[in-house]
Amino acid sequence: GSGSLGAKEFACGAVRNLSIATDNKRKIVSAGVIAPLKQLLSEKELGTRAQENICGAFWNLGINGENQLALFDADIIPNLLDLLASTTATQTCKEFAGGSFRAMAVNQANKQRLFEKEDVMPAMRALLNQQNHMKGQEQAAACMWNLSVASTNQVPMFKLGIMDELIFVLKNDLATKMTKEYVTGIVRALGNNTENRVPMFRSGVALPLIELLKGTNVKAQEQACAALWNFGVADDNQIALFRYGVVPAMLELLTSTIATPGSKEFVAGCFRALSVSEENRLPLYKAGVCPAMFSLTSTGNANGRENARKVLFNMCLNSTCRAHIKRLGVTAASINWTDAF
């Protein structure tokens, strides 16, 4: 349009402010605002404040599920990618651009389409690697987590070679709690795919995950426990998991006052996976897993109680463990043990 740069900045700011309200999000998009905002972003003389306002508006609008599809279909991605690659765009602008990608990636129909856009993952990885831009890192990690949940993306995402940068974030004391939560979510999601479990584990990601179990970031701990459970299902990973100290770290977490019911459920899931193998049962018994699982059969959430019962059932397949478990007061019926107990 022909308005002054100042007028455009204020107009974009008005759209951004109006887009905060939930009731306005669909109405604004239905009014046709995306196309002129996209056009403004392509204007080279546009000021940085106006850029921030447009990206902030896109992020706000993208919180609505229908708008996530509309934003993608309006082809705003090249404009956002240009800003992320720009040396003059502000950190706030890049944060909001990352937030726009994060929002679009929430929508199930967008996950594969976004991932397949040639420059989206490189842009998110570049933003994740900007160590001096913590809020941008959070948005990139959240976007990548949203994309990693789609099963069709999990193998190709791992094959991009992203493990080193994920591990770096997990080890980085400067990374925010939310960034670490999102990164552990990515590791958990990628590990849902059986093809990924062994090569991911060999990248060395288990050690920083185990370190997270010893901290206070409860949401990251929950994701880490689930990721370690995924890794524990693969036979090839189990010996190394023991060597890395996953069992004492998880037992310590079970006694923590901050551990979530989900974390405890996933700890029991990991022990369930490990206890399938006969060679693991005595080491688990000697580490003190049986009393912890017996306690969880009455204190855990529904899935945690079920996992704990399965651990005890598996452990009872070993005669030494079975004698100990009987002394704890476990009954055959409580763990669905049908043979003579």
Side-chain angles (χ1 to χ4, degrees), residues 158-172:
F158 169 71
K159 288 182 177 179
L160 290 175
I162 65 172
M163 294 309 299
D164 284 347
E165 54 218 63
L166 298 182
I167 291 169
F168 182 84
V169 172
L170 291 177
K171 291 180 176 180
N172 186 1

Side-chain angles (χ1 to χ4, degrees), residues 110-230:
N110 283 344
K111 292 182 190 297
Q112 187 170 351
R113 297 197 299 171
L114 273 170
F115 182 77
E116 290 176 348
K117 288 282 187 180
E118 184 177 357
D119 295 325
V120 170
M121 275 298 294
M124 291 300 99
R125 293 173 69 182
L127 191 58
L128 183 67
N129 289 329
Q130 290 185 19
Q131 303 305 317
N132 63 339
H133 190 184
M134 299 306 173
K135 291 184 177 180
Q137 275 191 327
E138 284 184 8
Q139 301 298 350
C143 176
M144 291 168 65
W145 184 13
N146 287 336
L147 295 176
S148 70
V149 172
S151 59
T152 52
N153 294 341
Q154 288 164 357
V155 172
M157 185 179 286
F158 169 71
K159 288 182 177 179
L160 290 175
I162 65 172
M163 294 309 299
D164 284 347
E165 54 218 63
L166 298 182
I167 291 169
F168 182 84
V169 172
L170 291 177
K171 291 180 176 180
N172 186 1
D173 292 336
L174 298 179
T176 69
K177 283 189 172 184
M178 292 179 70
T179 299
K180 291 193 175 186
E181 174 194 343
Y182 302 150
V183 167
T184 52
I186 296 168
V187 176
R188 172 187 180 181
L190 296 183
N192 284 334
N193 191 291
T194 56
E195 186 177 334
N196 286 343
R197 286 174 182 160
V198 173
M200 281 182 69
F201 186 81
R202 289 174 179 167
S203 73
V205 72
L207 284 172
L209 292 179
I210 292 169
E211 283 302 307
L212 281 174
L213 305 189
K214 304 171 186 177
T216 58
N217 189 344
V218 294
K219 291 184 177 180
Q221 282 179 340
E222 190 167 308
Q223 299 295 343
C225 289
L228 290 164
W229 180 8
N230 282 337

Side-chain angles (χ1 to χ4, degrees), residues 239-274:
I239 292 175
L241 267 178
F242 271 100
R243 188 170 67 247
Y244 292 160
V246 71
V247 175
M250 285 188 161
L251 287 173
E252 184 68 22
L253 183 62
L254 288 177
T255 66
S256 167
T257 57
I258 64 171
T260 67
S263 288
K264 295 179 179 182
E265 170 192 339
F266 301 144
V267 164
C270 188
F271 290 156
R272 175 179 176 177
L274 295 176

